[in-house]
Amino acid sequence: MRTEAQDLVLAGGGLANGMIAWRLRQLRPELRVTLLEAGPTLGGNHTWCFHDSDLDAAQRAWVAPLVAHRWAQHVVLFDERTRTVAGGYNAVTSERFHEVLSRELGAVVRRSTPLLEVRPRQALAADGQVFDAQAVIDGRGFAPSPQLDLRYQKFLGMELQLERPHGLAGPILMDARVPQLDGYRFVYTLPLAADRLLVEDTYYADTPALSPAALRTRALDYAASQGWPVARVLREEQGVLPIAIDGDIDAFWRGRQGQPVSGLRAGLFHPTTGYSLPQAVRLADLIARQRDLSAPALAAVIERHARAVWRSQFFFRALNRMLFLAGPAEGRHRVLAHFYRLPDGLVGRFYGERLTVADKLRIVTGKPPVPFFSALKVLLPPRRMESPA
């Protein structure tokens, strides 16, 4: 069955395409848009977080209805130092994401519609429906690419109902005082209510392989070590986020073959954390400003934008190489502990990808947390790396 042709079809109802659909509804409600999601809900089973400094004031305003939790500061814990970092920190849950977008988008959303094939102007569903449009944006998550040299941030999180209040005033973004396994290990904790926590056992690792049973045990052991008696586990989420250390961006975009893409599939993520919400917001704003929504025009706009982001992340990829390549895996926590000696403002600009030249010099000066010559070797651009913008 062939459906009525649309201005835009969004293949995949995750973060990036959901943001695009919602921003278009806000700014250009006259457009005919269809959002196709394979599962029963939008957004899957995730928690996306961002710092206030990751977005500008206008972006924070239109994203605000999606924010389920907000805190005024966060804590990082290392053997070398304990640090409270000021600045707003926000969490968007997939439950809130689904609730808001389903209400606001209405008939735009088609759930339980898995796709067999996505083309620049057509999406073919498993039930035989054919969706035609001026353009189809493929936002169905990360697609492994041999053109990108990646490492990974991987985690398993458990939402825990406790028997009594936990006493936390804000998130613990990193507790690295745990045994260091599989690279850099830390525990990430979000206080969702006085007696409810999201506890994630997290690794900066060389491979994407996860052992869910082992991570569940470690997360529960961590909760017990903090004196948080668990009444029950409410839900579980897990993920593997890409961390870029190098790549052939020309070959990567040749591989898209003119297909408009979004989110992780377009390589739009923070190079050091793998977080994608700020980039999803920026791409949604960009697409909402485009008057030509034909597939060739949209593919070209997204590619230019993503290439510019890649070039701007040159310094971050160099730091990632220092983290992953300049020393032993069990010593990676020292690199992060060294970073968190820096002022709150610089930390915020790092996460917001808005580092100044002075910030970059500040980051690389001082006694290095890895052997000097090893650091120097990996900081130099590899053969395939583009020159910085």
Side-chain angles (χ1 to χ4, degrees), residues 139-160:
R140 294 175 296 165
F142 184 71
S145 169
Q147 289 81 36
L148 299 182
D149 191 352
L150 301 175
R151 300 300 184 269
Y152 304 92
Q153 183 190 164
K154 57 189 182 183
F155 59 88
L156 182 141
M158 306 177 79
E159 188 173 332
L160 305 176

Side-chain angles (χ1 to χ4, degrees), residues 153 174 204 241-243 269-276 320 350-351:
Q153 183 190 164
M174 293 182 180
Y204 271 64
L241 305 178
I243 307 296
F269 53 87
H270 192 289
T272 303
T273 67
Y275 285 10
S276 56
N320 293 345
F350 178 88
Y351 283 113

Side-chain angles (χ1 to χ4, degrees), residues 44-225:
N45 178 30
H46 299 287
T47 304
W48 301 282
C49 291
F50 66 96
H51 301 264
D52 278 0
S53 56
D54 293 346
L55 303 176
D56 63 31
Q59 291 166 340
R60 290 196 301 272
W62 73 260
V63 170
L66 299 176
V67 174
H69 307 279
R70 189 176 188 280
W71 306 271
Q73 60 187 31
H74 66 268
V75 174
V76 292
L77 305 170
F78 298 90
D79 289 332
E80 298 88 339
R81 62 174 47 87
T82 295
R83 172 84 178 278
T84 298
V85 181
Y89 191 69
N90 309 269
V92 174
T93 63
S94 52
E95 182 180 20
R96 176 68 68 86
F97 185 82
H98 172 77
E99 174 193 335
V100 172
L101 266 62
S102 294
R103 181 180 68 242
E104 298 296 328
L105 297 178
V108 164
V109 177
R110 299 202 184 192
R111 301 191 297 274
S112 301
T113 308
L115 300 175
L116 294 178
E117 188 175 355
V118 172
R119 302 168 182 166
R121 297 189 60 183
Q122 191 176 77
L124 308 179
D127 64 2
Q129 290 188 91
V130 179
F131 296 87
D132 294 305
Q134 289 190 64
V136 177
I137 299 180
D138 190 350
R140 294 175 296 165
F142 184 71
S145 169
Q147 289 81 36
L148 299 182
D149 191 352
L150 301 175
R151 300 300 184 269
Y152 304 92
Q153 183 190 164
K154 57 189 182 183
F155 59 88
L156 182 141
M158 306 177 79
E159 188 173 332
L160 305 176
Q161 179 66 55
L162 306 181
E163 294 178 359
R164 59 174 179 264
H166 47 70
L168 293 180
I172 303 172
L173 259 61
M174 293 182 180
D175 187 346
R177 303 171 301 174
V178 294
Q180 293 299 297
L181 306 167
D182 195 12
Y184 168 47
R185 177 188 174 218
F186 62 94
V187 179
Y188 173 87
T189 303
L190 296 180
L192 305 179
D195 59 352
R196 188 160 49 93
L197 294 170
L198 176 64
V199 177
E200 291 186 351
D201 196 45
T202 308
Y203 301 79
Y204 271 64
D206 296 316
T207 74
L210 269 175
S211 299
L215 271 63
R216 286 188 197 102
T217 298
R218 291 171 194 162
L220 291 172
D221 286 349
Y222 177 82
S225 75

